[in-house]
Amino acid sequence: MAHDADVLTAGGIPAAEAERYGHNLPLIDGNKTYRQVTEEVFAPTERRPPLRWWLALAITLSMLSLGAWAVVQTLTRGIGTWGLNRTVGWAFDITNFVFWVGIGHAGTLISAILFLFRQRWRTSINRAAEAMTLFAVMCAGTFPIIHMGRPWLAFWATPYPNTRGSLWVNFKSPLLWDVVAISTYFIISLTFWYIGLIPDLATQRDRAKTKLKRAILSVFSLGWNGSNRTWSRYEMVYMLLAGLSTPLVVSVHTIVSMDFATSVIPGWHATIFPPYFVVGAVFSGFAMVLTLMIIARSVMGLQEYITTRHLEAMTKVVLATGMIVGMAYATEFFTAWYSGNPYERYVFLNRALGPYQWAYWTMVGCNVLSPQFFWFKRVRTTPWMIFVLTIFVNIGMWFERFVIIVTSLHRDYLPSSWAMYRPTFIEVAILIGSFGLFFTLFLVFTRVLPMIAASEVKGVLKHGDH
């Protein structure tokens, strides 16, 4: 990789000098033309997948098959196949649910909030981040359904018209809050993603080589003709959807946090949970986006579109949110001590020094210590270092949810009720299967639709051109 001093901007200015004196650096490398952007972005959807893509798909489908087998075992044999007991009634499944909801937050943040703040560097990563949101929410939605015990009655959690008298949903149930939050979030995110796809779907339609493909894309591109009137209406709708999606970033994980905060269990009954969960979701979501983008830019040859400047901007977000998460951990301990409540104090001491201390210190090491390496510019601009650190962040955020749920439940008010929780192979297999579903959907997405929003990239192509 060339040094910054050797890299020239579009105006022939060394990148290091441009950054020092405040010049705008180009967001896309290689002095691309509009035609080049179209050819290179749409090429993966038009050529045969390489062997490495098929190998990756085989691995993810194997993971998905293992998860499907575990789900069938759960449905046919019952929840007793899990490691739950009378004390720890929530564990692996709710941990996975909250984890996947958090992963889905970065897509809406990149797409909506950064769009409203006119952050142009989002254009190379927003399409993949939005798709990641949809796939993560789909993974999250499976866990509450499985945990119902009778998942074939999952439709009872929706306010559907029925003929059974006064039967209606229980609005006091956290399960219903999750159903409303997740379904709303998925519908809005899907709409926002699809609206952003329309210009590129029209390009795919015009480049289609078969009549069937052209007919299908003609339907989904909604008669897009690229006129000034069409673009004007499109930008207005996109702006409105961005404004509508923005509150969802805060509201969805706030509602998820209230599953815990509205209880009276020590370690859960805390007003810090809503902002704490929201920031943690953005933290883990950006880490997952970085993980996927680093793989995609290397495998698909998109280094000139997803540049080190994009990676550096995202690592700064990870660093900022990681510091807030670390402050939240410290605040929880301070609040427990300051409250004078012996039960509250015991829960947090038990987290740090009890039988699950290994999980707690794994969480602290991954979420608090590992992001601190992003203070160094060399780390922020070295893809393999970023990849390793984001893997640690994702591991740490999973353990955070595990620690919050299990350590608060396994020792409650009565010592006679204390119990240890150990996950079974069935639970681990379901977790592996959820990752298999996520990566399978992402792999298929990269071959069917353009992973980069070509229409938006063209709008910033001349950014930094002097």
Side-chain angles (χ1 to χ4, degrees), residues 282-453:
V282 176
F283 179 53
S284 61
F286 262 89
M288 183 61 82
V289 171
L290 275 166
T291 302
L292 293 177
M293 291 299 98
I294 289 172
I295 296 174
R297 73 192 292 269
S298 176
V299 173
M300 303 178 70
L302 298 174
Q303 289 89 342
E304 293 179 332
Y305 293 92
I306 306 172
T307 67
T308 54
R309 290 184 291 282
H310 293 94
L311 301 181
E312 186 175 12
M314 287 190 283
T315 55
K316 290 177 180 178
V317 176
V318 172
L319 175 60
T321 50
M323 293 176 67
I324 298 174
V325 168
M327 184 182 69
Y329 295 161
T331 303
E332 282 189 307
F333 266 87
F334 173 78
T335 304
W337 167 79
Y338 192 69
S339 68
N341 186 330
Y343 301 103
E344 196 77 21
R345 290 180 176 180
Y346 177 78
V347 163
F348 285 93
L349 288 175
N350 182 53
R351 285 182 182 178
L353 305 174
Y356 288 107
Q357 60 177 312
W358 57 272
Y360 178 81
W361 292 111
T362 299
M363 173 193 78
V364 172
C366 293
N367 294 344
V368 179
L369 300 181
S370 62
Q372 303 308 313
F373 288 98
F374 288 136
W375 283 107
F376 304 100
K377 186 176 179 64
R378 179 175 178 81
V379 176
R380 295 198 306 269
T381 54
T382 305
W384 73 265
M385 292 183 182
I386 299 172
F387 181 79
V388 171
L389 291 174
T390 54
I391 292 293
F392 278 116
V393 169
N394 284 313
I395 293 172
M397 288 307 295
W398 188 91
F399 272 102
E400 179 196 285
R401 281 61 180 250
F402 180 85
V403 167
I404 289 173
I405 294 167
V406 175
T407 61
S408 296
L409 287 175
H410 88 112
R411 290 187 176 178
D412 56 9
Y413 293 102
L414 297 176
S416 60
S417 301
W418 289 3
M420 293 295 292
Y421 164 77
R422 294 177 181 84
T424 64
F425 176 74
I426 297 292
E427 290 175 285
V428 176
I430 293 176
L431 173 61
I432 294 173
S434 68
F435 277 98
L437 174 62
F438 178 80
F439 288 116
T440 297
L441 292 173
F442 193 84
L443 284 170
V444 173
F445 159 72
T446 60
R447 306 308 309 183
V448 175
L449 297 170
M451 199 185 79
I452 292 177

Side-chain angles (χ1 to χ4, degrees), residues 247-268:
L248 288 177
V249 176
V250 178
S251 66
V252 171
H253 226 54
T254 297
I255 293 172
V256 172
S257 74
M258 289 179 180
D259 293 354
F260 309 99
T262 53
S263 69
V264 294
I265 295 177
W268 287 4

Side-chain angles (χ1 to χ4, degrees), residues 11-12 29 48 54 79 88 129 155 166 213 216 230 256 274 281 287 291 348 362 371 374 416 422-423 448 454:
D29 289 340
R48 294 177 62 86
W54 289 109
I79 299 295
V88 185
F155 65 94
S166 58
K213 186 175 182 180
I216 295 173
T230 304
V256 172
T291 302
F348 285 93
T362 299
F374 288 136
S416 60
R422 294 177 181 84
V448 175

Side-chain angles (χ1 to χ4, degrees), residues 84 110 228 458:
L84 304 180
I110 291 172
N228 182 64
K458 290 176 184 179

Side-chain angles (χ1 to χ4, degrees), residues 45 57 135 138 159 191 214 275 304 364 367 416 447:
T45 66
L57 185 65
F135 305 149
M138 291 169 65
T191 305
R214 188 178 299 111
E304 293 179 332
V364 172
N367 294 344
S416 60
R447 306 308 309 183

